[in-house]
Amino acid sequence: MDDSTNSELVEQIVQLGRQKSLVEIGKLLQSIDENALYSLVESDLDGQFSTEVTLTGAAGFSAATLFMFKGACAIIESGQTAAGTRILGTIASACVSQICEDDPKDQKESGRRWAAVCDKLLEILPQLDPRTVIDTSFRILAELKSCGSTPSVLHGFLPMLLDTLGTVGAVEIINDSDGMRAQDNNGDADESSTGHSITRTGSELKAYWVDSACSYRWDARASVAVCALLREISLEEAMIERVGQRMIRQLTLVDLTELPSMVYQLLLFARHGPKRMVLNGIFGFFDSVDDKQPPSEADPEAHKRWRELGDIEGTVMHHFSYSVKQDFELGNALIAYARERSEGASGGLLSTLAFACLLTLARIHRFEDAVTSLLRTIVMKGIHDSLALQATVWVRPYLPSPAYSPQELLAPVVARAAYGWDQVAQTLVQLSLNIVDFSVGAQRRGAYSPGACTEARRVCINALRSAFASHEFVRAELLDQILNRVVFQADSHEHFIELLRDLVADDADLVRPYASKIVDIFDSISVISPASIEQLLNAAAPLFLEDPPLRASLTLVLRKILFAQSFDERRTALSGLFVLASQHMAALDAFERLRGSGSELDNRSRRRIDELLSASLEILGLLRRCLTQQPEVRVVSYEKLAQLLDAPFVGRSSVLTSALNDMFRSEFSKYYCQEKTLDSPINIQMCVNPSTYKVTMPVANFLQCFSKLTLACSNANSGGSSMFRDEWGDICERFSKVQIEDFELDPTGDYMLSSPYGLRNYNTALLVIGCLDVSLQHALLYGIQRTSDADSMRDLALAIDRPELAMELFSKFCR
């Protein structure tokens, strides 16, 4: 037909359609040759007729084509099934052919029209004959072969078309150079055909279609669309594996920006069954393209690509998490895959992305415990096996080494957590905390070697330090976890205190906003050991030294606890106060050494010295009040003061030694007997309660502090140092001559603790022995002469003033 004839037919069809004479349209179409009808539909869809004729219908495409669909359906309903089916097949074939031939660049403008055509094709699909189904299917396959893609508007129609193709019975088809097509309904092939006739079932044709689609080259830009198309097709088990392998192979051909969408299509495709194959393919691909360590920033292009890949892998993890929430079996498959990799004969560990996906999976409550246990086992077992392999040199040639060590597994996750992997940072923190806790118990039980447990803690603590430095949102939680373990005295609390020390040393400014949490835990001081308090305050020392309000807040809290009813709480508060005092004095000593070296201090440093000195004197004032409390509190106070006086910086500060001098002078005057006529220099009877016979004053501990204070005052050239030396000389002299009977003690008397008299003798003897011990120590260590040769740089020569006095005290102490 020429164009004028086609135009007249179109006008006639539209007029009949407006008159709702659909059967008449069908009869008109019956009178048209099949090729002519095919050409008419193509011309109408191509817009070759005037707009006055081809009015747009409600469906969004040419009214003539719409009325042709309706006319064919009308004659089928009237009983002329064969004729109506033939007409529908011709119209559908023409529509599919025209969609395939349409320029893809124009599909945005004509997308609504083609979408309406596809909706109509879906509507009449059950009424199409096998010949049309086969021809249209392979027409789309030919488009995929030539262009590397299929029209996007057909993606909803093609899966249902192929499902229909699979239900077709045995048919004879023509196989020639142009592909496959069905014979005519009368069984005769086209006379121009040079191919041969073969018989195939619909399922075989569908399998051939899918296999051919997998063997063709796909356009990289259309790969996601083709994968989505194949995913929607119902496939047999053998074809599922074939399609999955082809989709995985396409990962290497697409751009980086298309990878997340491709992976998401693979994860959706995994619902068909091949979950293990899909996981192997995804992780294997990313493992091959991923750099295990970030490239140097000296190479900006490589570093940029590394960051882009990190962002892409982060998006992949989001897709994976969403897919698992839709299909829990995918999560179970990943756990099984990871367990097989870690327990396999090859001994290989997980790839970096697989490890990160497991961390993402742990955020889902259903898998949290299983994934945490599995990852903990992988890390611990990997470190244990790695150390064992290093220790046994002879067996290395016979065992394959793992692909990555746990250190290499955690490091990329930590590095990438700042570039697109932020969703795994929190899970990584929880896992590292869990491994540190577990390694302490495992080492105690002997489940793993001590070296493996130590190395696991080191690796995890380093990971926690990096996460704390990189992510603000994990800092508060990490500090809460550290302090909770200290409060509840977990087996691993010492390691977490060391972690806090490392965090403060790395960057105190990052920890400072959360330092008030450290002060808050003193509300639970009754369950914290003094040793833990000392370690905690030593770890956080820079925070308190640099922040006067925080230091004042901590001092106030300790002062309240210092007068609590519980002795354990007071002892713990004492430990904290002495730690603060030692830190303040050490800081003061640093400034004194700086000043002594000739450096001039600025105004800020001078203000800092005044603040530290004022805080130190305040703490010493609190400690002075402790010397009037119970004997147990006094013992702890004197022990801590003795440790404080051993520090060299105390002797360099005249202000501190003067304050300590005032503190001890009042106590010393209570128990020192100045009258030479008395045999004992110390009034021991005042140190024992006359009614309960319990010790009220630990005078030996006090004398030990007083002895060290004497040396400190001498080094600081403090006033009264000569008086201290004279008094100590008198104490040592008189203790060397005193007899046990002078203390109302009998060597053959009762020293049993069950009787009051025996308790009194026992405690008195302990005090006397302690005083003799301190006197002997003072005579040996501090009763010395210091001589130096100014002309030479020899060391100071030490000589005991009175060796006979030391020997007398020693023999007295031994008796």
Side-chain angles (χ1 to χ4, degrees):
M1 295 184 184
D2 54 15
D3 293 342
S4 61
T5 304
N6 285 339
S7 179
E8 293 175 359
L9 284 174
V10 167
E11 184 177 358
Q12 186 176 359
I13 291 171
V14 171
Q15 289 178 353
L16 292 173
R18 288 173 176 173
Q19 298 171 3
K20 296 183 179 180
S21 302
L22 301 181
V23 177
E24 296 299 325
I25 295 176
K27 292 179 180 179
L28 177 61
L29 296 177
Q30 278 184 287
S31 63
I32 303 175
D33 180 70
E34 183 174 342
N35 293 331
L37 179 61
Y38 188 96
S39 176
L40 178 65
V41 173
E42 279 191 331
S43 300
D44 183 53
L45 291 175
D46 199 27
Q48 293 183 8
F49 305 111
S50 65
T51 55
E52 295 179 358
V53 178
T54 58
L55 298 176
T56 302
F61 60 96
S62 171
T65 304
L66 177 62
F67 290 142
M68 290 182 198
F69 275 117
K70 292 182 178 181
C73 294
I75 63 173
I76 292 177
E77 293 174 359
S78 66
Q80 303 179 42
T81 305
T85 302
R86 179 185 64 81
I87 295 171
L88 271 181
T90 303
I91 298 172
S93 298
C95 289
V96 171
S97 178
Q98 190 63 23
I99 291 174
C100 292
E101 293 176 359
D102 191 22
D103 188 1
K105 295 180 181 179
D106 298 331
Q107 286 190 9
K108 287 185 179 180
E109 300 177 359
S110 57
R112 184 171 177 268
R113 176 165 59 95
W114 293 132
V117 172
C118 289
D119 290 340
K120 196 63 182 179
L121 290 175
L122 282 172
E123 183 181 337
I124 57 96
L125 179 60
Q127 297 174 307
L128 295 180
D129 61 331
R131 171 197 171 190
T132 305
V133 171
I134 295 172
D135 289 346
T136 53
S137 300
F138 282 91
R139 175 65 183 88
I140 298 174
L141 181 64
E143 181 70 13
L144 176 62
K145 179 180 180 180
S146 61
C147 300
S149 63
T150 57
S152 59
V153 294
L154 291 175
H155 288 175
F157 169 70
L158 182 57
M160 298 187 67
L161 178 65
L162 292 178
D163 290 342
T164 304
L165 175 63
T167 62
V168 172
V171 293
E172 288 191 37
I173 59 175
I174 304 299
N175 188 10
D176 57 14
S177 57
D178 296 330
M180 291 188 177
R181 63 177 186 274
Q183 283 188 340
D184 292 338
N185 291 339
N186 57 9
D188 297 330
D190 190 350
E191 293 180 0
S192 62
S193 173
T194 58
H196 59 280
S197 174
I198 56 177
T199 302
R200 290 288 185 268
T201 63
S203 59
E204 291 175 338
L205 291 174
K206 179 180 178 181
Y208 175 82
W209 194 101
V210 173
D211 185 70
S212 299
C214 292
S215 63
Y216 296 155
R217 179 195 61 81
W218 300 348
D219 186 2
R221 295 170 297 178
S223 298
V224 175
V226 176
C227 289
L229 173 65
L230 294 176
R231 176 177 58 80
E232 295 294 335
I233 300 173
S234 300
L235 301 173
E236 297 180 357
E237 185 174 354
M239 296 310 299
I240 288 175
E241 183 176 357
R242 174 82 169 93
V243 173
Q245 292 175 349
R246 179 63 180 87
M247 293 170 69
I248 291 171
R249 192 165 66 250
Q250 191 67 17
L251 289 173
T252 61
L253 304 176
V254 300
D255 296 334
L256 284 178
T257 55
E258 296 290 333
L259 284 176
S261 300
M262 281 290 297
V263 171
Y264 182 63
Q265 293 300 325
L266 276 168
L267 294 174
L268 293 177
F269 179 75
R271 296 183 184 181
H272 290 287
K275 296 179 175 61
R276 186 66 58 85
M277 179 188 67
V278 168
L279 293 175
N280 274 322
I282 294 174
F283 296 142
F285 167 74
F286 280 99
D287 190 41
S288 64
V289 300
D290 191 9
D291 295 326
K292 307 305 177 294
Q293 296 296 331
S296 173
E297 294 188 1
D299 187 358
E301 290 297 327
H303 192 75
K304 179 181 178 181
R305 183 183 183 279
W306 182 80
R307 292 190 58 172
E308 290 178 351
L309 185 60
D311 291 334
I312 288 169
E313 290 173 334
T315 307
V316 167
M317 284 184 277
H318 280 299
H319 287 325
F320 182 85
S321 176
Y322 179 78
S323 300
V324 170
K325 292 176 182 177
Q326 303 300 315
D327 181 13
F328 287 139
E329 289 300 321
L330 182 61
N332 294 330
L334 177 59
I335 294 175
Y337 164 82
R339 184 174 291 111
E340 179 182 344
R341 290 280 297 172
S342 62
E343 298 176 356
S346 62
L349 290 175
L350 295 173
S351 65
T352 303
L353 182 62
F355 189 82
C357 286
L358 282 171
L359 291 175
T360 305
L361 184 63
R363 300 177 64 187
I364 302 174
H365 181 70
R366 180 188 183 99
F367 300 100
E368 181 179 0
D369 294 337
V371 172
T372 301
S373 176
L374 175 62
L375 291 179
R376 184 180 62 212
T377 302
I378 289 174
V379 173
M380 293 295 301
K381 184 175 180 295
I383 293 176
H384 178 82
D385 294 347
S386 178
L387 293 178
L389 191 62
Q390 293 176 10
T392 53
V393 182
W394 60 271
V395 80
R396 292 181 194 174
Y398 306 101
L399 292 178
S401 59
Y404 312 105
S405 64
Q407 297 90 326
E408 296 173 342
L409 198 59
L410 285 174
V413 176
V414 175
R416 281 274 172 78
Y419 301 107
W421 289 20
D422 53 321
Q423 69 267 28
V424 303
Q426 196 166 9
T427 314
L428 179 64
V429 169
Q430 294 294 336
L431 175 65
S432 300
L433 293 170
N434 188 287
I435 292 176
V436 173
D437 289 331
F438 176 80
S439 64
V440 176
Q443 183 174 350
R444 185 177 61 251
R445 297 190 305 269
Y448 294 96
S449 65
C453 294
T454 302
E455 180 65 14
R457 287 193 293 269
R458 186 191 68 80
V459 171
C460 292
I461 285 177
N462 287 338
L464 291 173
R465 292 170 62 184
S466 300
F468 187 88
S470 303
H471 300 283
E472 183 180 358
F473 63 89
V474 304
R475 292 170 188 164
E477 180 183 359
L478 180 54
L479 284 175
D480 286 339
Q481 295 292 338
I482 292 173
L483 297 178
N484 285 341
R485 283 162 173 78
V486 176
V487 170
F488 293 106
Q489 293 290 277
D491 294 339
S492 58
H493 74 276
E494 293 183 357
H495 302 290
F496 284 103
I497 292 177
E498 289 299 320
L499 172 59
L500 178 60
R501 187 192 306 274
D502 294 335
L503 295 178
V504 174
D506 291 342
D507 193 341
D509 292 334
L510 295 181
V511 188
R512 186 166 290 111
Y514 313 97
S516 59
K517 296 177 180 289
I518 301 176
V519 179
D520 293 340
I521 72 165
F522 285 92
D523 294 334
S524 308
I525 199 170
S526 58
V527 296
I528 307 176
S529 65
S532 298
I533 289 294
E534 292 182 13
Q535 295 172 358
L536 182 63
L537 292 178
N538 281 320
L543 302 177
F544 298 109
L545 292 176
E546 299 288 341
D547 193 343
L550 183 65
R551 182 174 63 240
S553 175
L554 178 61
T555 305
L556 177 62
V557 172
L558 292 176
R559 182 171 61 183
K560 292 179 180 179
I561 302 172
L562 196 60
F563 300 98
Q565 185 176 1
S566 171
F567 166 70
D568 292 334
E569 293 184 16
R570 283 180 284 171
R571 182 177 60 178
T572 306
L574 272 174
S575 300
L577 285 174
F578 276 104
V579 170
L580 286 179
S582 62
Q583 292 168 357
H584 287 56
M585 294 178 184
L588 285 170
D589 184 62
F591 282 112
E592 289 295 333
R593 287 200 305 269
L594 186 62
R595 179 184 295 169
S597 64
S599 301
E600 184 177 355
L601 300 179
D602 55 12
N603 292 332
R604 183 176 180 274
S605 299
R606 293 191 186 94
R607 288 194 302 269
R608 182 90 186 282
I609 291 174
D610 294 339
E611 291 175 358
L612 293 173
L613 189 59
S614 175
S616 301
L617 293 176
E618 180 185 1
I619 293 173
L620 290 178
L622 292 175
L623 296 177
R624 185 171 186 172
R625 299 177 64 181
C626 296
L627 301 182
T628 60
Q629 295 192 18
Q630 294 88 341
E632 295 84 357
V633 178
R634 291 187 180 187
V635 169
V636 176
S637 300
Y638 291 138
E639 289 175 351
K640 298 296 183 180
L641 280 170
Q643 297 175 7
L644 192 64
L645 289 167
D646 282 334
F649 49 79
V650 176
R652 299 193 186 103
S653 176
S654 59
V655 177
L656 294 178
T657 53
S658 177
L660 290 170
N661 185 4
D662 294 340
M663 180 190 302
F664 281 98
R665 174 53 61 182
S666 60
E667 288 292 310
F668 182 74
S669 60
K670 294 179 183 179
Y671 303 99
Y672 175 58
C673 300
Q674 295 183 356
E675 298 181 11
K676 307 297 182 181
T677 58
L678 297 177
D679 296 323
S680 174
I682 301 297
N683 191 345
I684 299 295
Q685 285 72 23
M686 289 183 61
C687 302
V688 180
N689 190 308
S691 59
T692 62
Y693 303 114
K694 293 183 179 180
V695 175
T696 59
M697 172 60 180
V699 67
N701 301 87
F702 170 75
L703 288 177
Q704 184 181 20
C705 293
F706 193 66
S707 173
K708 295 183 177 182
L709 178 62
T710 302
L711 180 63
C713 290
S714 177
N715 293 336
N717 296 322
S718 177
S721 60
S722 60
M723 182 187 302
F724 288 164
R725 287 195 297 269
D726 294 340
E727 288 169 344
W728 263 111
D730 180 60
I731 291 173
C732 294
E733 180 74 26
R734 292 164 69 180
F735 263 123
S736 67
K737 298 176 181 180
V738 76
Q739 301 296 325
I740 192 172
E741 290 79 5
D742 298 330
F743 302 101
E744 300 179 5
L745 295 176
D746 185 359
T748 61
D750 181 15
Y751 290 89
M752 300 297 292
L753 300 180
S754 57
S755 64
Y757 185 71
L759 180 61
R760 178 260 176 197
N761 292 341
Y762 179 81
N763 288 332
T764 303
L766 284 182
L767 292 175
V768 173
I769 293 173
C771 291
L772 286 171
D773 183 19
V774 175
S775 300
L776 175 60
Q777 179 182 351
H778 182 83
L780 291 174
L781 299 180
Y782 304 131
I784 56 178
Q785 292 178 341
R786 283 177 170 78
T787 61
S788 62
D789 186 358
D791 297 331
S792 64
M793 298 303 295
R794 294 178 300 174
D795 293 334
L796 294 177
L798 304 180
I800 297 176
D801 285 340
R802 298 174 60 187
E804 70 282 358
L805 176 61
M807 289 303 301
E808 290 177 7
L809 288 169
F810 178 70
S811 61
K812 188 76 65 175
F813 176 72
C814 292
R815 287 199 303 270

